[in-house]
Amino acid sequence: MIACYTNRLSARPGERVDLHATNDLAGECSVEVERIGAEIELVHQFDITVADHPTPSDADMNGCGWPAAGDFIIGKDWKSGYYRIRMTNADKKSTTHFVCVLPEKPGKNEIAIILATNTYHAYNYWGGANAYSHVTKLMKGQASFEDAMAQAIGTLSAERPFPDLIIAAPDDAPRLINDRKRGFKEQPWASDMNWMIKHHASPYDGSAGFVNKWEHRFAEWAEKNGIELDYYTDYDLDAKDDILQAYKCALFVGHSEYWSGKERDQVEKYVDAGGNIAILSGNTCFWKVRWENDGKTMVNHKWRGHTAEPEASKDDATHLWSHESVGRPEAELTGLSFVFAGYHRLGMCVSRGAAGYTIYRDNHWTLEGTDLFYGDVLGGEVPLIGYESDGCRFHFDEDELPVPIPMVGVPENLEIIGIAPCAFGEDPDSGYAPIIPPEQLDVIANVIYGDDSPAAQKKVLRGHAILASFKRGKGEVFNTGTTEWAHGLAAGDPFIDRITKNVLNRFTGKTGRAV
């Protein structure tokens, strides 16, 4: 085995990064550090000697405890971005990790992108388990899916490597969406099952990580369009206050599912004071987490939050942001919530859906110059709606336009641009075996309706993804409501491209000029 991790996931130019590693050959390894964006740029190369170290049985919760095998200094000329660390031993076996290079000081550029590293940690099952299940036992056939899910852990160590398919997905890694509609009486499926079998992929590998996933696709698009970004991790917003105040716009891309209390406090303060956030993400800010041990431990009890730590205050509790034990629905900040939407074109979740937004409010500022009109479908060819989506309840006004129903934090002034049907889960009465992991429908029904009856749970299964914006305080929020927006940019869709540029122009004060 060869594996490595760093003592920190982000660092500024001039700061040192320690590399903790094990190598069963117990000898010299070469290390390459590359910036990953529109191009791959090798910035540093060095050799270290790495011994063979055992992996503790509780590494998933308490870390590996390997000594530092070497270190490197972030170069003064290294641009802010995602940097891959590749370590290779004498047998040519490699492992990868990463570090986010921060700007030398906040505000070097106008736009900050916050990498969804809390989500990376939640899905990380290196050493056994993650926040969802005991993945190793599941993949080895040592536990059923139900039993493996019961062995999910609520304390996750950052002092361990990541599985390769999370942190180093190959170029041909499939998206988490069915790229075509289900045929007549065809058995449902999810993603590319043949690829997953070939690569021994777990159900969790595609849901987090940078390389060849959402944030990477966005970074490529931004750099090709001359858009400079300053990079941060979720934990940076937890560890230091007021980072965002130096920026005109902050971005959350892909799958920004897990937020700490301090991170959310900072983002809300930023927007209320006049900052703008563009959420090009789905399932955003769904789970509340807590960082301990100077960023070495992420506490994330999920559904068990109120029972695992019954005495925890609302500031410390970990659960759904919308759960009564926390009491801060994410839609107060994001405008939308996963509880009102769910999945599209996965398994039996809207398996023959259009995979795009039907446009209703075609005079909205985001659509200027897009040539989109009432009833048009945005992104169906991409496909744009898939995997996880956020939405709200709504009704149609006297002008036959959708307007929000202000509940569970959804703001009354939300402007709904487009909608697409979603399903929070698969209907058990469909006649087809479910594929999507079951959620706690009783908990969600209670959050939405204050009622966990079977009828309320059934109602939870029906929802809509929403494309929307709204003003909060002195700032503004744009939300795509889908994890897949960056893939629309990667596909070269001219409508999605123009909408994104409209948003960034407005949010950086460049309205009327092309980005």
Side-chain angles (χ1 to χ4, degrees):
M1 181 181 69
I2 178 172
C4 67
Y5 61 92
T6 55
N7 67 317
R8 58 200 301 177
L9 286 190
S10 62
R12 297 189 186 280
E15 294 182 336
R16 190 184 77 187
V17 177
D18 294 335
L19 190 62
H20 300 256
T22 185
N23 172 25
D24 57 10
L25 295 184
E28 189 172 273
C29 293
S30 63
V31 180
E32 297 176 322
V33 183
E34 304 167 305
R35 187 181 188 278
I36 308 296
E39 306 291 338
I40 298 176
E41 178 188 0
L42 177 65
V43 298
H44 191 45
Q45 219 168 356
F46 60 100
D47 295 327
I48 56 175
T49 299
V50 183
D52 184 14
H53 300 290
T55 300
S57 60
D58 61 349
D60 47 9
M61 294 181 65
N62 295 314
C64 291
W66 301 333
D71 60 59
F72 61 94
I73 304 296
I74 303 295
K76 290 287 188 180
D77 59 343
W78 294 12
K79 287 178 59 176
S80 185
Y82 178 99
Y83 284 72
R84 178 169 60 194
I85 302 165
R86 189 196 306 274
M87 188 178 80
T88 305
N89 68 12
D91 247 1
K92 303 301 181 185
K93 291 181 179 177
S94 294
T95 187
T96 65
H97 201 68
F98 77 97
V99 64
C100 172
V101 172
L102 307 171
E104 194 163 11
K105 63 179 182 178
K108 185 176 186 300
N109 293 299
E110 294 180 323
I111 303 172
I113 182 171
I114 315 304
L115 299 182
T117 49
N118 288 350
T119 303
Y120 301 5
H121 287 302
Y123 282 89
N124 183 9
Y125 57 89
W126 202 97
N130 64 11
Y132 293 82
S133 75
H134 197 296
V135 184
T136 299
K137 288 183 180 180
L138 175 67
M139 297 305 292
K140 289 184 175 181
Q142 297 171 348
S144 67
F145 199 30
E146 185 175 284
D147 288 342
M149 290 180 70
Q151 296 177 56
I153 56 176
T155 302
L156 301 105
S157 176
E159 297 184 299
R160 56 176 171 150
F162 285 92
D164 283 346
L165 289 180
I166 288 180
I167 210 68
D171 293 344
D172 65 344
R175 293 171 55 197
L176 292 175
I177 179 172
N178 297 342
D179 59 6
R180 63 174 179 82
K181 299 177 182 179
R182 187 170 68 89
F184 179 66
K185 293 190 175 181
E186 184 177 13
Q187 287 294 319
W189 74 100
S191 188
D192 186 337
M193 296 305 296
N194 290 330
W195 188 95
M196 294 180 71
I197 292 169
K198 177 182 176 181
H199 291 268
H200 306 287
S202 83
Y204 308 100
D205 290 313
S207 300
F210 181 95
V211 175
N212 289 320
K213 295 175 184 173
W214 306 284
E215 292 163 334
H216 187 185
R217 298 287 88 94
F218 182 81
E220 290 175 324
W221 175 84
E223 290 177 18
K224 289 174 182 176
N225 282 275
I227 301 169
E228 298 285 342
L229 305 171
D230 282 355
Y231 285 67
Y232 295 90
T233 70
D234 286 323
Y235 180 68
D236 291 312
L237 269 60
D238 184 281
K240 187 172 182 180
D241 296 334
D242 298 328
I243 285 175
L244 294 182
Q245 66 181 3
Y247 296 93
K248 293 182 177 179
C249 175
L251 298 170
F252 300 88
V253 177
H255 196 197
S256 187
E257 182 177 1
Y258 294 82
W259 287 39
S260 73
K262 289 182 179 179
E263 176 179 11
R264 178 156 173 192
D265 289 345
Q266 179 167 174
V267 177
E268 288 187 340
K269 179 181 177 183
Y270 167 72
V271 175
D272 289 344
N276 305 299
I277 61 172
I279 301 173
L280 316 181
S281 166
N283 199 12
T284 305
C285 193
F286 191 58
W287 292 105
K288 183 175 181 289
V289 303
R290 184 177 75 247
W291 278 101
E292 296 180 346
N293 196 19
D294 292 327
K296 297 179 176 64
T297 305
M298 190 175 85
V299 180
N300 173 29
H301 291 293
K302 296 189 68 173
W303 304 107
R304 303 182 182 96
H306 57 305
T307 55
E309 299 178 314
E311 304 303 319
S313 67
K314 288 193 174 187
D315 287 341
D316 289 337
T318 68
H319 207 300
L320 296 168
W321 276 101
S322 54
H323 191 265
E324 61 184 4
S325 63
V326 177
R328 292 175 65 186
E330 66 273 19
E332 293 176 352
L333 171 64
T334 66
L336 308 173
S337 174
F338 186 63
V339 303
F340 294 122
Y343 306 93
H344 188 105
R345 288 259 286 262
L346 277 178
M348 283 298 292
C349 293
V350 198
S351 64
R352 299 188 181 101
Y357 279 118
T358 299
I359 297 298
Y360 280 84
R361 195 164 269 101
D362 57 351
N363 62 349
H364 192 269
W365 62 263
T366 58
L367 303 188
E368 183 181 355
T370 61
D371 197 37
L372 285 169
F373 297 93
Y374 175 83
D376 287 350
V377 175
L378 168 68
E381 297 79 12
V382 172
L384 181 62
I385 313 297
Y387 189 39
E388 295 185 334
S389 305
D390 293 343
C392 67
R393 292 282 187 258
F394 61 88
H395 63 87
F396 287 94
D397 66 10
E398 60 184 12
D399 295 321
E400 293 300 322
L401 293 175
V403 294
I405 298 173
M407 56 190 296
V408 196
V410 173
E412 191 171 7
N413 65 334
L414 186 77
E415 296 182 336
I416 297 174
I417 306 163
I419 64 177
C422 279
F424 194 79
E426 293 164 296
D427 189 334
D429 299 326
S430 71
Y432 294 94
I435 294 175
I436 307 303
E439 302 283 355
Q440 303 283 341
L441 292 183
D442 57 335
V443 176
I444 300 300
N446 203 51
V447 164
I448 299 175
Y449 304 111
D451 174 12
D452 61 4
S453 67
Q457 292 184 44
K458 187 88 169 178
K459 192 156 57 169
V460 168
L461 293 178
R462 299 183 293 272
H464 288 82
I466 300 289
L467 178 68
S469 75
F470 75 105
K471 292 184 177 180
R472 173 181 161 135
K474 297 179 181 179
E476 193 162 6
V477 178
F478 168 73
N479 196 333
T480 66
T482 173
T483 53
E484 307 307 297
W485 192 267
H487 285 295
L489 294 171
D493 185 290
F495 306 102
I496 297 169
D497 183 276
R498 181 59 187 262
I499 292 170
T500 309
K501 289 177 179 176
N502 284 346
V503 171
L504 297 184
N505 278 334
R506 181 180 176 98
F507 284 3
T508 57
K510 298 184 178 68
T511 303
R513 293 184 287 156
V515 170

